[in-house]
Amino acid sequence: MTVDTLCVQGGWQPKKGEPRQVPVYASTTFRYETSEQMADLFDLKAPGYFYTRLANPTNDQVAKKIAALEGGVAAILTSSGQAASTFAVLNLCQAGDHVVSSAQIYGGTFNLFAVSLKKLGIDFTFVDPEASPAEIAKAFRPNTKCVFGETVANPSGVVLDIAKFAKAAHKFGVPLIVDNTFPTPVLCRPFEFGADIVTHATTKYMDGHSSQVGGCIVDSGNFDWSKYPERFAGLVAPDESYHGLSYVKSFGKQAYIVKATAHLMRDFGSIPSPFNAFLLNLGLESLHVRIRRHAESALTIAKWLRKQPKVAWVNFAGLPDSPYHKLVKKQFKGTSPCGVMTFGIKGGRAKSIKFMDSLKVIGIVTHVADAWSCVLHPASHTHRQLTDAQLKAAGIPPDLIRFSVGLEDPQDLIADLKQALAKI
Ligand SMILES: *Cc1c(COP(=O)(O)O)cnc(C)c1O
């Protein structure tokens, strides 16, 4: 089945007389007949549900759809994209370990790594995604456990060369984790280029209607943990909190996701509400139709914007003369990798703000990647603590506007941009 069909019919497969839409199992708990049946569940000896903090059938059906979309073997939903990034790393790392990460990642992920996980004793080395394989290789240490990158970075729009990073990771014997939020599996499937684990903020295009905050982790099943039993002892060696069970021995290719469920969800508890999983699934049913429209409209508008004399610059990887054009052609299905672009107004920060305040159809919100078009000014909003010099160092010019192109008629959006440009 193609990705388009899986968006609609992946995951929940109703049998005769069953509801066609995935049911919302609004239940924290599940009933059994004998004490032994329940004991086997606690020991991970038998499959089944017992407490929604660990697993819930609605969530599992939706995770199954996302696993199929990415071409993976298993997936788990989390309560946010942040939780997905946290768990993806904590499932492999503990205090004393080290991670190599692309420097061009979502600001929230950067803080999580550089501040919060660092406080827990996990060290990060950030590398320029444009770095040569030899430069990337220098970032590895004997205690490196994984590599992290973002397919299309939010907000910089930098495109990750997934194959280059996968090669670097595999040469060192560690997996590559890729945040694939912006393209979604409809436009890019990172496993096809060597990534081992994919994360998502399902909050964005997957939901697509700004109705829930959620995340997902998908495992390709391709990384052979048992080849490095010491490096990945958490997956290979006996887990004392489960009577000495080895995830790899007991669950094979499902090991990474079973550990994330049985260990991290059990202890940290970032499970989404089954109702949110239901909302996410509604979004997924039209993802393939929506994301292509987002990407096409963004390209139309980027081409129009760059011709406007008051616009200083436009950065969109879908533009034919983008430095990422070759990589976009190789890695993405279609001309554009997503519907988000950045641009600047001539005259700097003050003019960009005046322009944004003059928009009527396009709203100012702290969100991206949903049906309603929106803009954000990182220098005044997400990155407002930084000075102009610090902004420059972070790759965010003070005039930068992040523009998420929604599903409205692109001609109406162009008319709105036009009247706002006329006001400055
Ligand atoms: C929004 C976002 C996140 C974080 O997701 P939340 O659901 O807001 O926690 C992570 N990565 C990317 C690329 C994002 O855009």
Side-chain angles (χ1 to χ4, degrees):
M1 266 196 271
T2 69
V3 160
D4 288 36
T5 305
L6 291 170
C7 276
V8 184
Q9 296 205 8
W12 173 241
Q13 300 283 321
K15 294 180 207 74
K16 180 176 172 240
E18 285 184 345
R20 206 198 58 192
Q21 189 50 269
V22 59
V24 180
Y25 287 89
S27 183
T28 57
T29 196
F30 303 84
R31 188 174 167 171
Y32 289 92
E33 281 157 358
T34 70
S35 177
E36 196 188 349
Q37 286 170 345
M38 183 74 92
D40 285 349
L41 293 172
F42 270 99
D43 282 350
L44 305 180
K45 274 190 197 152
Y49 299 97
F50 54 106
Y51 192 55
T52 283
R53 167 149 48 75
L54 281 104
N56 173 281
T58 309
N59 296 357
D60 276 2
Q61 292 303 327
V62 181
K64 223 163 104 183
K65 175 180 282 191
I66 299 175
L69 286 171
E70 287 287 5
V73 294
I76 183 172
L77 296 190
T78 58
S79 55
S80 67
Q82 286 299 101
S85 307
T86 307
F87 280 21
V89 171
L90 286 186
N91 211 24
L92 300 172
C93 296
Q94 61 186 38
D97 288 341
H98 173 255
V99 178
V100 174
S101 173
S102 162
Q104 292 290 340
I105 51 174
Y106 172 66
T109 315
F110 186 82
N111 274 332
L112 166 69
F113 289 176
V115 181
S116 297
L117 291 186
K118 199 170 161 86
K119 278 187 189 164
L120 298 185
I122 301 167
D123 221 354
F124 287 79
T125 300
F126 294 96
V127 298
D128 183 348
E130 311 289 344
S132 69
E135 285 172 306
I136 298 169
K138 277 192 219 145
F140 286 86
R141 300 182 195 163
N143 56 341
T144 302
K145 292 292 174 73
C146 60
V147 177
F148 190 96
E150 200 167 303
T151 320
V152 182
N154 174 11
S156 69
V158 168
V159 179
L160 188 79
D161 185 337
I162 299 169
K164 178 175 78 178
F165 274 80
K167 240 183 235 164
H170 296 161
K171 203 166 165 193
F172 193 80
V174 297
L176 172 65
I177 305 171
V178 169
D179 179 338
N180 196 36
T181 295
F182 268 15
T184 81
V186 176
L187 297 183
C188 176
R189 302 215 300 174
F191 296 156
E192 291 172 4
F193 303 95
D196 302 286
I197 290 148
V198 156
T199 62
H200 282 281
T202 61
T203 318
K204 311 295 166 55
Y205 288 117
M206 281 193 168
D207 172 284
H209 303 81
S210 61
S211 66
Q212 57 90 45
V213 171
C216 185
I217 309 171
V218 189
D219 184 10
S220 65
N222 292 336
F223 196 88
D224 186 0
W225 312 105
S226 60
K227 241 172 107 179
Y228 311 96
E230 275 166 34
R231 182 170 294 153
F232 301 110
L235 283 153
V236 184
D239 181 345
E240 293 316 324
S241 70
Y242 279 108
H243 312 299
L245 164 147
S246 153
Y247 292 103
V248 163
K249 272 194 200 137
S250 297
F251 302 103
K253 283 185 183 297
Q254 309 272 330
Y256 178 88
I257 293 297
V258 172
K259 178 172 183 280
T261 307
H263 188 195
L264 297 178
M265 273 303 172
R266 181 195 64 185
D267 296 354
F268 294 113
S270 300
I271 205 81
S273 144
F275 183 66
N276 278 1
F278 171 82
L279 290 176
L280 167 59
N281 190 55
L282 286 185
L284 289 170
E285 289 193 356
S286 62
L287 176 65
H288 54 304
V289 180
R290 293 183 292 103
I291 186 78
R292 291 195 186 104
R293 166 77 181 244
H294 281 290
E296 278 165 29
S297 293
L299 182 57
T300 304
I301 294 172
K303 283 180 177 167
W304 179 86
L305 262 180
R306 69 189 334 206
K307 282 194 277 191
Q308 307 311 306
K310 289 180 184 170
V311 173
W313 54 272
V314 178
N315 173 24
F316 183 58
L319 287 167
D321 58 354
S322 154
Y324 298 113
H325 185 67
K326 235 175 97 182
L327 195 52
V328 168
K329 265 185 98 169
K330 176 186 159 191
Q331 257 176 210
F332 300 88
K333 296 166 182 83
T335 50
S336 307
C338 62
V340 181
M341 71 180 80
T342 55
F343 64 96
I345 300 291
K346 282 183 189 159
R349 178 194 286 254
K351 287 273 173 150
S352 284
I353 292 172
K354 168 92 174 111
F355 165 78
M356 282 176 52
D357 289 351
S358 305
L359 291 166
K360 290 175 178 154
V361 178
I362 301 161
I364 300 175
V365 300
T366 311
H367 199 249
V368 278
D370 74 302
W372 291 50
S373 289
C374 60
V375 285
L376 179 90
H377 185 232
S380 327
H381 304 139
T382 47
H383 296 67
R384 66 176 291 113
Q385 273 77 25
L386 306 191
T387 63
D388 278 10
Q390 286 173 321
L391 282 171
K392 218 170 172 183
I396 297 170
D399 64 346
L400 182 146
I401 296 169
R402 183 182 71 185
F403 180 20
S404 173
V405 178
L407 298 176
E408 304 91 341
D409 185 332
Q411 294 312 318
D412 283 338
L413 299 175
I414 285 175
D416 193 33
L417 295 163
K418 202 169 170 180
Q419 65 79 25
L421 283 171
K423 294 219 171 82
I424 54 169

